[in-house]
Amino acid sequence: MFISDSICSWAASAHLLFLIALLSGLISADILPQTITAYVSETVMLPCSIPVDEELPTVEWSKEGLSQNITILYRDGCETFGMKNSAFRYRTNLVLDKLKDGNISQIIYNLRLSDQGRYQCRTLRGRQWQVHAMLELKVVAVSEPKLTVVATAAGDGVTLECKAVCWFPEPEVTFQDVEGNEIKANNPTRVSNSTECLTVTRKANVQTPINRVICRVHEKDLNQTRKTEIYIPGILDYNHN
Ligand SMILES: *[C@@H]1O[C@H](CO)[C@@H](O)[C@H](O)[C@H]1NC(C)=O
Ligand SMILES: *[C@@H]1O[C@H](CO)[C@@H](O)[C@H](O)[C@H]1NC(C)=O
Ligand SMILES: *[C@@H]1O[C@H](CO)[C@@H](O)[C@H](O)[C@H]1NC(C)=O
Ligand SMILES: *[C@@H]1O[C@H](CO)[C@@H](O)[C@H](O)[C@H]1NC(C)=O
């Protein structure tokens, strides 16, 4: 069958595996990919489960579009590292104490934007591969916007700058007054980060009597919104005088 490159093998009987393969049928049901959205640097679990059996089959998770597409391979009672894609080294695992319940979900730690894509969960019994789950992972990068006063013009307001640092996908940055009315702003500038995320900066000249301004950063595809508010005391004092 295969050559075990793991040290902790509990020699599975080839005959038994072959029998199970015959009994377990040949066809995987049609599997509709499920979408999971998670944040950069977080931990995510991609669910997959199989019927409980006496013996755990070989479990393989792979990611579409990679030449070496295995993200975790578990066989004969332990993880086999030889074919694992190096981008996932030390970053994937199975829920080891749940394997006996047929829970073969994959955990990915310290998510990267490049982890985005389609994953497949399958098992091998004897010579029989069976696909159990397909998952579409979306990874988003968000942060709280930074809203600051960058210039004051005598008598007629201030220039505010709102910075959305390291977002992905690219968000829209808008300024609003407390009633939610949009305040006119300059065209945004975007800088792409070495880590593939984007920093979007936008400026607005705010006239009196507005004294509280909200910067809203919104990414519509994955429906991510972060808001920051600034209170401009100088303008309030001006109004009161
Ligand atoms: C697998 O186990 C984990 C940890 O207990 C649990 O959170 C998850 O819901 C389980 N997934 C499935 C598919 O059973
Ligand atoms: C990974 O590669 C294997 C072998 O080429 C292929 O059968 C499998 O479908 C690939 N996985 C994904 C998720 O594309
Ligand atoms: C790149 O992203 C990091 C956070 O991941 C941030 O600290 C840095 O300021 C960003 N650089 C640019 C040019 O956006
Ligand atoms: C976007 O998220 C907000 C809450 O964060 C929710 O109220 C709203 O219904 C969502 N919109 C869409 C289109 O999913």
CSV table of all heavy atoms in Angstrom, one decimal, residues 45 47-49 95 98 103 105, ligand 1:
chain,number,residue,atom,x,y,z
A,45,MET,N,-11.6,27.0,12.3
A,45,MET,CA,-11.8,25.5,12.2
A,45,MET,C,-12.7,25.3,11.0
A,45,MET,O,-13.8,25.8,10.8
A,45,MET,CB,-12.5,25.0,13.4
A,45,MET,CG,-12.6,23.5,13.4
A,45,MET,SD,-13.5,22.8,14.9
A,45,MET,CE,-12.3,23.2,16.1
A,47,PRO,N,-15.0,22.7,9.3
A,47,PRO,CA,-15.6,21.5,9.8
A,47,PRO,C,-15.6,20.3,8.8
A,47,PRO,O,-15.8,20.5,7.6
A,47,PRO,CB,-17.0,21.9,10.1
A,47,PRO,CG,-17.2,23.1,9.2
A,47,PRO,CD,-15.9,23.8,9.0
A,48,CYS,N,-15.5,19.1,9.3
A,48,CYS,CA,-15.6,17.9,8.5
A,48,CYS,C,-15.8,16.8,9.4
A,48,CYS,O,-15.2,16.7,10.5
A,48,CYS,CB,-14.3,17.7,7.7
A,48,CYS,SG,-14.4,16.3,6.5
A,49,SER,N,-16.8,15.9,9.1
A,49,SER,CA,-17.0,14.7,9.9
A,49,SER,C,-17.3,13.5,9.1
A,49,SER,O,-17.8,13.6,8.0
A,49,SER,CB,-18.1,15.0,11.0
A,49,SER,OG,-19.2,15.4,10.3
A,95,VAL,N,-8.5,18.1,15.5
A,95,VAL,CA,-8.8,18.1,16.9
A,95,VAL,C,-8.6,16.7,17.4
A,95,VAL,O,-9.5,15.8,17.3
A,95,VAL,CB,-10.3,18.5,17.1
A,95,VAL,CG1,-10.6,18.8,18.6
A,95,VAL,CG2,-10.6,19.8,16.3
A,98,LYS,N,-10.9,14.4,19.3
A,98,LYS,CA,-12.3,14.3,18.7
A,98,LYS,C,-12.3,13.3,17.5
A,98,LYS,O,-13.3,13.0,16.9
A,98,LYS,CB,-12.9,15.6,18.2
A,98,LYS,CG,-13.0,16.6,19.3
A,98,LYS,CD,-14.3,16.3,20.2
A,98,LYS,CE,-14.6,17.4,21.1
A,98,LYS,NZ,-14.7,17.0,22.5
A,103,ASN,N,-14.8,13.3,14.1
A,103,ASN,CA,-14.6,14.7,13.8
A,103,ASN,C,-13.2,15.0,13.3
A,103,ASN,O,-12.3,14.9,14.0
A,103,ASN,CB,-14.9,15.5,15.2
A,103,ASN,CG,-14.7,17.0,15.0
A,103,ASN,OD1,-14.1,17.5,14.1
A,103,ASN,ND2,-15.3,17.7,16.0
A,105,SER,N,-12.3,17.8,11.6
A,105,SER,CA,-12.1,19.2,11.2
A,105,SER,C,-10.7,19.6,11.3
A,105,SER,O,-9.9,19.1,12.1
A,105,SER,CB,-12.9,20.0,12.3
A,105,SER,OG,-14.3,19.6,12.3
B,1,LIG,C1,-15.3,19.1,16.2
B,1,LIG,O1,-14.8,19.3,17.5
B,1,LIG,C2,-14.7,20.7,17.8
B,1,LIG,C3,-14.1,20.8,19.2
B,1,LIG,O2,-14.8,20.1,20.2
B,1,LIG,C4,-16.1,21.3,17.8
B,1,LIG,O3,-16.0,22.7,18.1
B,1,LIG,C5,-16.7,21.2,16.4
B,1,LIG,O4,-18.0,21.7,16.3
B,1,LIG,C6,-16.7,19.7,16.0
B,1,LIG,N1,-17.0,19.7,14.5
B,1,LIG,C7,-17.7,18.7,14.0
B,1,LIG,C8,-17.9,18.8,12.5
B,1,LIG,O5,-18.2,17.8,14.6
